[in-house]
């Protein structure tokens, strides 16, 4: 099923010069970038984005961290891109992320785990809406599609 997902290189990934590496992995997989920008997340956006963790003890830390320095926000499109991107990211806690995954290769702690990715179609739609305006998402066709699907 053709889907869109919200992926975000977190402040630690940007600071560690991993934007290119991460974008490259999703490009090579065959997914299509439909929107991307370097941005400073506001406190309001952060609190909305992480609302499901509002009652957790680390919520304040989470909001402080994601607003501490710019993120690289992206929307990617492709068949099953939501679940596949989560597999490519690896487990939330880098101590459990498989080698070869983004977190498995580059992250050491759960608080600084490099990348965010939507976990369901409903989250993807909600999160895209928090960070992007409709006109920032670009629909276009690529000839390579015939070789991917
Ligand atoms: P996900 O990012 O893999 O979807 P979630 O459970 O939604 O994982 O958690 C959101 C983010 O909160 C994680 O990526 C991680 O950075 C952070 N986080 C999760 N659990 C902890 C914790 O126990 N301590 C500190 N940060 C945590």
């Amino acid at each position: 099923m053709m889907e869109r997902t919200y992926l975000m290189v977190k402040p630690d990934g940007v600071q560690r010069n991993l934007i290119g590496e991460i974008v490259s992995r999703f490009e090579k997989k065959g997914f299509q970038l439909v929107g991307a920008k370097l941005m400073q997340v506001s406190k309001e956006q952060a609190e909305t984005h992480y609302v499901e963790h509002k009652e957790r003890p680390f919520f304040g830390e989470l909001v402080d961290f994601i607003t501490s320095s710019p993120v690289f926000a992206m929307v990617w499109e492709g068949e099953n891109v939501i679940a596949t991107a989560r597999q490519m990211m690896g487990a939330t806690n880098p101590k459990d992320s498989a080698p070869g995954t983004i977190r498995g290769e580059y992250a050491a702690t759960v608080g600084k785990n490099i990348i965010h990715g939507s976990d369901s179609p409903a989250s993807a739609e909600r999160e895209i809406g928090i960070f992007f305006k409709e006109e920032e998402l670009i629909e276009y066709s690529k000839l390579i599609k015939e070789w991917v699907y």
Side-chain angles (χ1 to χ4, degrees):
M1 194 178 40
M2 198 54 91
E3 296 174 332
R4 282 182 175 184
T5 194
Y6 176 68
L7 301 183
M8 169 168 64
V9 183
K10 296 184 184 182
D12 51 334
V14 174
Q15 291 286 340
R16 291 179 51 197
N17 301 322
L18 292 171
I19 295 173
E21 166 65 28
I22 289 168
V23 169
S24 177
R25 285 181 176 224
F26 293 102
E27 278 189 312
K28 287 177 189 161
K29 179 72 178 170
F31 294 133
Q32 182 162 327
L33 191 60
V34 297
K37 59 185 173 184
L38 185 71
M39 66 175 287
Q40 175 64 51
V41 175
S42 69
K43 188 158 191 281
E44 195 187 353
Q45 282 173 317
E47 286 174 348
T48 308
H49 176 66
Y50 282 128
V51 70
E52 67 173 295
H53 298 300
K54 209 170 169 57
E55 305 307 325
R56 308 282 276 278
F58 57 88
F59 181 70
E61 232 175 277
L62 210 48
V63 170
D64 287 349
F65 175 62
I66 209 75
T67 57
S68 64
S69 181
V71 303
F72 192 67
M74 301 169 278
V75 177
W76 286 87
E77 189 175 84
E79 284 192 18
N80 300 310
V81 67
I82 298 171
T84 305
R86 296 278 299 184
Q87 283 182 337
M88 291 168 68
M89 287 160 51
T92 301
N93 194 328
K95 80 176 167 55
D96 305 317
S97 328
T101 63
I102 293 166
R103 288 163 170 170
E105 294 295 302
Y106 305 120
T109 62
V110 70
K112 295 198 172 66
N113 61 2
I114 305 286
I115 183 166
H116 168 83
S118 309
D119 62 5
S120 67
S123 308
E125 193 181 339
R126 190 182 81 85
E127 293 169 1
I128 291 168
I130 297 170
F131 296 98
F132 285 91
K133 298 189 186 98
E134 194 55 48
E135 62 266 27
E136 291 176 311
L137 304 178
I138 301 174
E139 219 160 288
Y140 60 108
S141 60
K142 270 177 141 179
L143 293 177
I144 198 175
K145 260 190 184 147
E146 287 174 31
W147 299 98
V148 175
Y149 300 110

